[in-house]
Amino acid sequence: MLLLLAPAAGAQQSLQWNAPAGATVRPTDAALVGLARQLLDGSDAVHLTPVQRSQSLLVAGQYAQASAAITALMHALRSEGNESQAQRWTPYLLMAKAGNPAEPGFDRAYAAAFAAWFAALDDVSALKTHYWFSTNLPAAQAKLDAALATYAGSASLTHEQALDLIRQAAFVATFRVTSRLAPDLIRADEDRRFEIDDSVRIPAMEGVVLSAHVARPRRSAAPPPAAMLFTIYTDPARNRTQAALAAAHGYVGVVVDARGKRLGTGTAAPYETEGVDAAAAVDWISQQPWTDGRVVMYGGSYSGFAAWAAAKHAPPALKAIAPYVAAIPGLGLPMENNVFLSANYAWPFYVANNRLLDNDTYNQRERWDALTERWYTSGRPYRQIDQVDGTPNRWLQRWLAHPDYDAYWQAMVPYGDDFSRIRIPVLSITGYYDDGQISALHYFREHYRHLPDADHRLLIGPYDHFGTQANVKAMELRGYSVDPIAQFDTDAITFQWFDHVLNGAPLPPLLADRVNYQLMGANRWEHAPSLQAAGGGMTTFHLSRERAGTEYRLIETPTAPAGVLTQAVNFADRNSSRHSYYPWPILRAGPPDDGGLSFVSAPFDQPMDMVGPFGGDLKIRINKRDVDLTVTLYEWQKDGKVMQLSYYVGRASYAADMTSRHLLTPGQWTQVPLQRTRMTGRRIAKGSRLLVVVDVLKDAEHQVNHGTGKDVSDESVADAGAPLSIDWSTDSILRIPLRAVAE
């Protein structure tokens, strides 16, 4: 909210600034009022945007005019389809309606304005508007204080400086009021709409008791179904609101805390007990008089995993699940394709250190950001990374004991034939740039592999892990401008789909088929009965030794005889890293130049749609017993810009079977199948080329596989030995889901 809308460029008039150095709050506030009035009365007033005018009127104390201006701004935003943008202005509007906070009677006026405004809103709109009344006021105040200190003693400010100060001042003034008055008003509004019990206790397995928030709609004529979200993220205020949001959609909202959290008993055990505990919660909920006996589960990331974990145990009352960006422990995190990664290193401390959330530890970003580099440069075994940090990470150590995708991991979510017994409808939502997409896609593929007539829909588009779960999607993602049509509300589509499954409501058009994907670059949604149908067939490409500028050619007809490209990687050198596959930024100015072997296709002579995950077989020969590999796909556009489309990272010894390690034989050719890759959906423009980068994984964010054949967690820089020599055969192939688009 601090950002709101960026100030528009205007004339560069100077404005008087009358707050002397060391000024107290009162003269500073007076100076801000004077500054706002100069903006409103000066020659450049005509150039103020509606946002800037609204902020200036508030700071100037012209509350009636501010109310009218904000009302007009909200109307304009709604007419453009920006409902969420309009809702976020409600705190400003109510303050303007109430008048001067320093005047007697302001609190009563504010409460009256609040009550009148929310009386006109339905339950869903009210809850989504409640969200905009909370912020980190101390941080906002500190930022404003720092800006004021910067200008202390100045006689004048530029137009841009003035607008920035007024923006911050309007924000702080508004949320000084909301932080004082809104919490009680919001709680009263919730109580008017819902019956909420924050202290429900649910008996689970082994004598464990789970705590829960339960929200029931007051205006329900008959007991409705229950919508359950199971979470280890124990934030009582947020989870209470989440339960209420389900109630706003006509369900009994139940947010269940994981074992050992909040008011529950037992000990937190991330990933290990969610299946039995969530299934027990479903059974208990179904027997309560306030529900009709049907339960659905939903939620993102960990909560999506928990929905699948419950489905593994098939509680009879569970009628549907809607998991988004759902994790698979042991496949997507804390390891991916058997390579342990450090992105979630601090997560166990966050969720398992206490009965709520250990924000103090988790928010030590400098500590966690520095840790991986400290470990990497130390050369110590990955198993000792917590010794480098200085605090034991017992959950990491527990996970490192299972480098295979073995029975430990398999017990957590459906595995193999378990999928054939999941006959309830499923809605999976994920993003092309979701870190955990590999897990979400694996659930989808395995469900159909073991149950061809499964009722499972996939919804996917240009979102990252958090954006997929958000009700308002970011329209600028890591340098890529998202197509406008990609915008949708995750909560809304979830409950619309539940209404369809349980009550026969119309199927949301966005979910028209099994595979529903936003085609980037075409500003359209497409629908297909399967991933294969969405892709329209695979085009086979081969590596080659032929040059295309500084890259090698990626060709459709293999060369004969096969050629060899050789790389050398020195694992003893901890002052360098290899090609970074991670999509940040998504759109960059030019091709990467960080050590990988790059292969580029001929320009496409017509637009091409790339939809689905890629595959292939890499033929390699190394002088060691194992290696971790990366493959990254890009669109190299005519203007020179490069857009990342998909990637793969994995350990060669597990590529064929993630449950059992099969070491390579030094000096012998090995086929490495590319499985469990990521999906994209992109219209590649005419004249663009496909760019593929293959490389050896070596960086601070992952284990370093030195190739000895020992457990990689126990290898140190002392095991580096001679540099890795890797030969890439041009017999290697990549299968890319491409189909031509008629112009």
Side-chain angles (χ1 to χ4, degrees):
M1 290 185 68
L2 285 171
L3 295 177
L4 293 176
L5 299 176
Q12 295 296 311
Q13 78 171 79
S14 293
L15 295 100
Q16 293 181 358
W17 178 239
N18 298 316
T24 62
V25 172
R26 180 166 296 181
T28 300
D29 284 349
L32 287 167
V33 170
L35 190 65
R37 289 177 177 172
Q38 289 181 72
L39 286 167
L40 292 166
D41 299 336
S43 60
D44 287 332
V46 68
H47 298 298
L48 293 177
T49 68
V51 167
Q52 293 163 350
R53 179 171 174 78
S54 298
Q55 293 164 339
S56 299
L57 287 166
L58 268 179
V59 176
Q62 299 175 18
Y63 297 109
Q65 298 95 317
S67 177
I70 296 169
T71 299
L73 172 60
M74 294 172 71
H75 178 75
L77 289 168
R78 287 195 170 96
S79 68
E80 296 167 0
N82 294 326
E83 177 62 28
S84 180
Q85 290 277 359
Q87 288 171 345
R88 70 170 57 190
W89 279 92
T90 307
Y92 295 84
L93 177 63
L94 297 188
M95 178 177 161
K97 284 179 175 292
N100 187 345
E103 293 292 329
F106 173 84
D107 289 7
R108 291 192 301 274
Y110 187 90
F114 187 101
W117 185 263
F118 280 91
L121 299 182
D122 62 67
D123 291 348
V124 174
S125 297
L127 286 173
K128 290 188 174 182
T129 305
H130 288 171
Y131 172 81
W132 297 111
F133 281 78
S134 60
T135 193
N136 187 340
L137 180 59
Q141 182 69 65
K143 186 174 181 181
L144 175 59
D145 290 343
L148 290 169
T150 300
Y151 303 131
S154 298
S156 64
L157 300 177
T158 68
H159 195 254
E160 285 74 14
Q161 290 170 338
L163 287 171
D164 185 60
L165 271 185
I166 294 304
R167 175 181 60 82
Q168 294 189 58
F171 183 92
V172 169
T174 298
F175 284 91
R176 281 178 187 161
V177 170
T178 62
S179 65
R180 183 170 59 87
L181 299 178
D184 289 344
L185 295 170
I186 288 172
R187 179 62 65 97
D189 190 55
E190 288 178 345
D191 290 342
R192 179 176 66 85
R193 299 170 186 274
F194 314 109
E195 184 176 344
I196 303 178
D197 188 342
D198 297 315
S199 304
V200 174
R201 288 170 171 80
I202 299 174
M205 303 297 290
E206 304 165 351
V208 168
V209 174
L210 309 174
S211 62
H213 302 268
V214 175
R216 298 156 54 190
R218 290 192 182 277
R219 292 184 289 273
S220 180
M228 171 179 146
L229 185 145
F230 192 100
T231 183
I232 202 168
Y233 296 109
T234 314
D235 181 331
R238 182 175 64 185
N239 293 345
R240 173 190 170 92
T241 299
Q242 185 62 56
L245 184 60
H249 283 283
Y251 293 75
V252 176
V254 186
V255 176
V256 181
D257 302 305
R259 180 179 297 205
K261 304 294 288 183
R262 202 166 64 96
L263 307 178
T265 64
T267 302
Y271 305 138
E272 295 186 355
T273 63
E274 282 79 358
V276 293
D277 287 349
V282 168
D283 286 339
W284 182 86
I285 291 167
S286 70
Q287 298 169 31
Q288 304 312 302
W290 34 254
T291 182
D292 68 3
R294 297 178 295 171
V295 182
V296 294
M297 287 186 70
Y298 69 105
S301 195
Y302 171 94
S303 296
F305 143 75
W308 278 110
K312 179 185 179 80
H313 296 270
L318 187 61
K319 301 305 181 183
I321 61 173
Y324 356 113
V325 293
I328 296 181
L331 197 159
L333 56 84
M335 64 179 183
E336 178 169 336
N337 287 328
N338 304 92
V339 178
F340 279 92
L341 59 159
S342 298
N344 301 102
Y345 179 88
W347 184 80
F349 300 122
Y350 181 47
V351 299
N353 271 7
N354 59 46
R355 290 190 166 273
L356 297 178
L357 295 171
D358 189 350
N359 290 290
D360 291 342
T361 298
Y362 193 63
N363 290 337
Q364 295 173 20
R365 298 320 309 169
E366 291 184 5
R367 170 186 173 185
W368 306 124
D369 291 345
L371 174 59
T372 53
E373 193 64 37
R374 288 175 56 214
W375 161 77
Y376 181 70
T377 56
S378 76
R380 295 173 70 171
Y382 192 77
R383 202 181 303 278
Q384 296 180 13
I385 188 171
D386 56 355
Q387 296 180 31
V388 175
D389 175 52
T391 301
N393 190 331
R394 67 186 184 92
W395 284 104
L396 174 68
Q397 296 301 331
R398 192 179 186 97
W399 298 330
L400 290 177
H402 299 276
D404 302 344
Y405 189 75
D406 59 15
Y408 173 76
W409 303 110
Q410 294 168 19
M412 297 177 181
V413 295
Y415 178 75
D417 287 342
D418 291 340
F419 283 100
S420 67
R421 295 184 285 276
I422 300 177
R423 296 186 170 273
I424 58 174
V426 180
L427 170 61
S428 288
I429 307 178
T430 188
Y432 299 138
Y433 301 102
D434 165 32
D435 308 46
Q437 191 216 101
I438 183 175
S439 297
L441 211 59
H442 189 76
Y443 283 123
F444 184 77
R445 289 160 147 173
E446 287 294 286
H447 200 184
Y448 275 113
R449 186 164 77 89
H450 291 277
L451 186 66
D453 63 344
D455 183 359
H456 191 156
R457 295 175 191 267
L458 175 68
L459 179 62
I460 187 169
Y463 322 111
D464 63 9
H465 191 71
F466 297 102
T468 302
Q469 302 172 70
N471 295 328
V472 179
K473 312 300 186 224
M475 301 312 290
E476 181 79 19
L477 182 61
R478 304 179 200 168
Y480 168 65
S481 295
V482 175
D483 292 346
I485 204 170
Q487 188 64 245
F488 77 92
D489 183 328
T490 297
D491 273 335
I493 200 74
T494 296
F495 286 101
Q496 289 166 13
W497 180 73
F498 282 151
D499 290 346
H500 167 73
V501 169
L502 297 183
N503 303 319
L507 180 69
L510 206 58
L511 304 176
D513 214 326
R514 289 176 168 178
V515 178
N516 308 276
Y517 59 95
Q518 200 276 304
L519 188 61
M520 296 186 293
N523 196 32
R524 59 191 294 176
W525 285 91
E526 297 281 359
H527 313 277
S530 67
L531 287 172
Q532 293 74 19
M538 291 286 190
T539 301
T540 299
F541 289 93
H542 302 260
L543 309 184
S544 81
R545 297 181 62 192
E546 301 175 32
R547 286 285 187 179
T550 57
E551 288 71 35
Y552 296 97
R553 291 184 60 206
L554 187 68
I555 56 179
E556 295 187 48
T557 302
T559 57
V564 174
L565 293 164
T566 301
Q567 281 181 295
V569 179
N570 182 7
F571 290 111
D573 175 14
R574 294 302 176 86
N575 294 313
S576 64
S577 299
R578 305 296 303 173
H579 171 71
S580 175
Y581 64 83
Y582 192 73
W584 198 304
I586 292 168
L587 189 65
R588 61 178 73 198
D593 183 20
D594 48 9
L597 293 177
S598 297
F599 301 85
V600 63
S601 72
F604 294 114
D605 57 11
Q606 62 186 114
M608 304 290 290
D609 286 349
M610 179 178 171
V611 181
F614 70 95
D617 292 281
L618 300 177
K619 187 175 180 180
I620 64 170
R621 179 174 60 193
I622 62 175
N623 62 337
K624 296 179 182 285
R625 305 189 71 195
D626 203 2
V627 64
D628 296 343
L629 303 173
T630 65
V631 181
T632 317
L633 272 60
Y634 304 89
E635 176 191 357
W636 195 347
Q637 300 169 355
K638 285 194 299 183
D639 62 3
K641 293 181 180 177
V642 171
M643 179 175 175
Q644 185 161 335
L645 302 173
S646 185
Y647 68 87
Y648 165 87
V649 58
R651 184 156 294 160
S653 58
Y654 285 103
D657 181 2
M658 64 182 178
T659 69
S660 179
R661 192 179 189 191
H662 301 277
L663 294 171
L664 284 63
T665 301
Q668 290 191 9
W669 288 103
T670 301
Q671 294 279 359
V672 179
L674 297 179
Q675 305 180 85
R676 299 179 295 278
T677 64
R678 282 169 166 74
M679 174 179 179
T680 192
R682 168 72 175 168
R683 175 153 294 174
I684 298 175
K686 177 181 178 179
S688 287
R689 296 178 287 171
L690 189 65
L691 172 65
V692 176
V693 179
V694 300
D695 204 0
V696 172
L697 180 66
K698 172 181 172 272
D699 64 27
E701 302 304 320
H702 305 79
Q703 295 173 306
V704 177
N705 186 350
H706 296 82
T708 66
K710 297 191 304 184
D711 187 328
V712 173
S713 294
D714 295 319
E715 292 181 331
S716 73
V717 72
D719 295 300
L724 171 76
S725 176
I726 179 168
D727 294 333
W728 303 82
S729 172
T730 58
D731 280 344
S732 298
I733 60 173
L734 293 170
R735 301 181 186 92
I736 312 295
L738 288 171
R739 64 168 182 262
V741 178
E743 294 185 84

